[in-house]
Each structure stands twice: as C-alpha cells, then as structure tokens.
Amino acid sequence: MDVQILSPEVIQDTNFAPTPSSAIAADLIDSTFGTTCIDLTSSSLDSSVLAFSDEWFAPASNLTNPKPPIRRPGVFVPTGAWYDGWETRRHNPEPYDWVIIKLGVASGKVKGIEVDTAFFDGNHAEAVEVQGCFEVGEDANTQVVRKDYTGWKQVLGHQGCGASRRQAWKADDEREVTHVRLCMFPDGGIARFRLYGQVVPVFPTSIEQEIELSSALMGGMVLSASEEHFGSSKSNLLLPGRGVDMGGGWETRRSRSPGHVDWVIVKLGARGRVKRIIVDTAFYKGNYPQAMKIEALDDGEGSPDPEDSRWKDILGLQRLGPDKEHEYAASNLSNVEGAAYTHLKMTIVPDGGVKRFRVFGIRL
C-alpha cells in the first residue's frame, strides 16, 4: 500500500472550513446517538480502510471493529505490546498520522464522532480532526487516496483527546459523505473510531422492485427494545449477512415471570408494502425464543410506543427453532394487502436471542 505523506504546504492549501461541534459526556454517547444513528464506518456494514500513513504497532482496521476494545496485558508481538486499536510509531515527522475509511453504506449524513482511546495511556493520540468527502463512481476509492485529492471538507475541528476513555462530539453540520479521513495528532494510538449518522440509501429506479425495507443499508433503524443483554445490541438485527457467531445479534436476559415477553421496534428505511419477512435465529441453539409475533403501523417519522393502539397484527404467534432462517411469505401475513407501513414491532416469547430481522417489500 502506498503511504500518502502530506507536507505542511499541502495542509495549508487545503483550507478547511470549521464545523461547529460540541462534546458529549461519555455516559451520554449511547443515548445521544443510539436510537437515531448507526455507526456508518462499522466493519459489520462492510466498510473498508483504504489507506493510512502508518500502522507500525497495531493495524488501522481495528478502528472499525464493532465490538468494544479489549486488553491483553503481558502479550507481545514482534513490534511490541499487543493493542486492540490503531497505533503508529513515535516521532512522526509530519503534523499528523491519518487513515482513510470508506463508509459501509452508499453515503450518510454525519451527526457525531466518537474516538475511543481505551487502554492507550501514555501512547494515546493527543488530538484528532475528521474530514469527509462525497465521491462516487468506479474510481472513487482511487481518487480519495491520491495525495493531490482536494475534495476533503472538515467534519470535526481540532479536538483534544484523553488517555483510555470514550470521547465524542456532536457535529452541527449534517454533511453527506461517502469517505472519511481521521487525522491523529501527532501520532500514537486510538482503539475505536465511530462515525454516527443516518444512511442516505440508493433505492432501485423501479419502485416495483422488491427491496429489504428494514436493512440498515437502506436506512432501517431499530428505535427501541424492551432490553438488550449479554453484550448484544438491538441494532444488530438489521445488519447484512448472518454474522459469524452468537455475539452479533440481539439477546435478552432469562425471564422468571409468567407471561413475560420482550419486544423490539424497527423503523423501515422507506414507507412500503410488506411482502415477506425473515426471522433468523442463526447461532442461537439453546437460547432462541420459543415463539414470536409481528405487528405494524404507519407513523411517518414518529417513534411509536410499544403499547400504541394503532399496532396491527400482520403475523400471528409463530413457533421458532434453533439456528434457522424462518421465512414468512405474503400468504402467511395478514393486514398487508394494499396497506403501507413505516414501523414493525417483533415480540418474542418469552425471551432469548434473534440474529436478524428482515422485512422485504415494495417502496412507496
């Protein structure tokens, strides 16, 4: 991989315009972005690191790992201590190190940025800046890594970083980007980089073409859930693929009360007519739900309550099995003929884990 080195002259010529931003307390990061945004650079969305200035101690690809960083004290690799993050060598002759990342979606509007320096203490980044660009076409990835590329626009101004902590900032500018460049001053380590935002999907030209209305790639969002446990995340339900293990789904704790149920509410990426649904229990073999049912409503951009009286049954209670895709065709559904919906609620009985929830249909 070619290493792009920016001279001070090139940096001065870039002439970034400042973007207003505000810091978010570490304990408020998840609540600030968790129900309105996704991590646009998560490797679970098939994002990719296109280029970097250096990764001597730890690879830049760790930045986009959706799992929390871990520590392995006493473990050494040929270059030094093992770190779960991106770490560059000391004494950088340039003002900063950098990494260029292609988003895992077609494009997205940036709402916030998180830089997690977990377990980097004494070797952490002192400060960061983030730039973004909107570049499409077959040669987009080639263009953005060029040394003379001039399409970068500032998303996050210069922000100081502390050791071994989560830190985030809310961007006022809802800039739409396809690629981002994280600049780390002057060198050091960052465990995770999260670019919080909303997907700007690319829909098929024909509205008659069936699409996965719920997919995160199409702008689908999980708005709320009764709970999430064992390190799982409700947002995993809408990711592409079937994952690689039990860790990439939504799982709730064991219930002990008679009549208990858990639920999750999904906002579709586009208002549409539901044609079929897949509930996948991949990797859940002794902890899958006994059964589930699905309801829907048409609520525009709202965030409906789980007890909203407008919910309509579209799939009655269905028994589930372990490690399996359960597909329900139009013939299995009710209240969908000629109806349009924006939100779906899946209720699981009594608890357990689901890997993916896929809703297919026609966009309206």
Side-chain angles (χ1 to χ4, degrees):
M1 177 180 293
D2 293 335
V3 175
Q4 177 187 15
I5 299 297
L6 298 183
S7 67
E9 291 75 21
V10 171
I11 296 168
Q12 291 171 1
D13 290 344
T14 306
N15 191 28
F16 293 132
T19 299
S21 59
S22 56
I24 305 295
D27 60 349
L28 296 178
I29 295 174
D30 294 336
S31 61
T32 300
F33 301 115
T35 60
T36 59
C37 302
I38 65 170
D39 177 9
L40 299 169
T41 55
S42 171
S43 59
S44 61
L45 293 173
D46 200 28
S47 64
S48 56
V49 172
L50 300 181
F52 47 80
S53 58
D54 183 67
E55 56 174 3
W56 178 259
F57 290 108
S61 58
N62 285 334
L63 288 169
T64 60
N65 186 342
K67 296 181 179 180
I70 61 173
R71 187 185 182 200
R72 298 173 64 186
V75 175
F76 286 81
V77 294
T79 54
W82 183 91
Y83 275 92
D84 186 10
W86 170 47
E87 186 180 4
T88 64
R89 70 190 80 198
R90 296 182 185 226
H91 314 308
N92 185 12
E94 299 296 323
Y96 57 80
D97 279 313
W98 53 267
V99 57
I100 295 174
I101 303 171
K102 177 185 178 297
L103 270 59
V105 298
S107 66
K109 289 186 177 180
V110 179
K111 298 287 188 176
I113 297 95
E114 178 183 349
V115 172
D116 187 351
T117 56
F119 309 117
F120 287 97
D121 188 350
N123 54 348
H124 60 280
E126 289 189 355
V128 296
E129 290 181 11
V130 180
Q131 290 95 41
C133 68
F134 187 90
E135 196 72 46
V136 295
E138 293 183 358
D139 65 342
N141 292 345
T142 303
Q143 290 295 322
V144 301
V145 300
R146 290 172 58 93
K147 183 168 59 174
D148 58 354
Y149 181 69
T150 59
W152 295 112
K153 305 296 182 183
Q154 190 161 292
V155 172
L156 180 70
H158 199 83
Q159 301 288 342
C161 293
S164 194
R165 70 189 65 178
R166 294 179 70 188
Q167 46 229 320
W169 303 268
K170 186 176 181 180
D172 295 331
D173 186 347
E174 297 183 5
R175 189 183 302 281
E176 185 178 346
V177 301
T178 56
H179 302 74
V180 289
R181 180 170 64 177
L182 169 64
C183 302
M184 174 172 63
F185 294 81
D187 48 45
I190 296 172
R192 297 290 188 268
F193 172 70
R194 314 286 190 210
L195 188 76
Y196 296 113
Q198 296 172 347
V199 176
V200 181
V202 176
F203 293 117
T205 304
S206 172
I207 61 171
E208 296 302 318
Q209 182 175 335
E210 182 181 278
I211 62 173
E212 189 177 344
L213 293 167
S214 59
S215 171
L217 301 179
M218 291 294 175
M221 289 282 301
V222 177
L223 299 183
S224 57
S226 55
E227 69 139 18
E228 47 194 355
H229 211 67
F230 306 111
S232 68
S233 172
K234 58 186 182 295
S235 61
N236 289 336
L237 287 168
L238 308 185
L239 294 176
R242 301 188 71 201
V244 297
D245 56 33
M246 193 188 300
W250 170 57
E251 186 177 1
T252 63
R253 73 187 74 200
R254 297 185 188 221
S255 60
R256 304 301 187 189
S257 303
H260 179 88
V261 298
D262 283 312
W263 52 266
V264 62
I265 295 177
V266 171
K267 180 181 178 295
L268 302 179
R271 184 172 181 263
R273 291 198 175 98
V274 178
K275 297 294 185 181
R276 60 189 177 98
I277 295 172
I278 293 177
V279 176
D280 190 358
T281 57
F283 302 102
Y284 291 103
K285 299 177 181 179
N287 50 352
Y288 59 93
Q290 290 182 341
M292 67 84 202
K293 69 174 185 176
I294 299 173
E295 301 162 90
L297 62 73
D298 187 7
D299 192 38
E301 295 298 317
S303 182
D305 187 271
E307 301 302 323
D308 195 307
S309 61
R310 295 172 297 163
W311 289 111
K312 294 181 180 179
D313 290 330
I314 63 171
L315 182 64
L317 199 64
Q318 304 289 317
R319 183 165 291 279
L320 296 178
D323 194 25
K324 178 184 177 181
E325 284 188 311
H326 305 75
E327 183 165 0
Y328 306 96
S331 58
N332 303 117
L333 307 178
S334 59
N335 295 318
V336 296
E337 187 65 32
Y341 295 112
T342 56
H343 297 73
L344 273 74
K345 180 177 75 168
M346 177 174 63
T347 301
I348 60 173
V349 182
D351 52 48
V354 176
K355 177 55 67 70
R356 298 289 185 264
F357 179 59
R358 306 193 188 285
V359 181
F360 297 85
I362 305 300
R363 175 175 59 96
L364 296 178

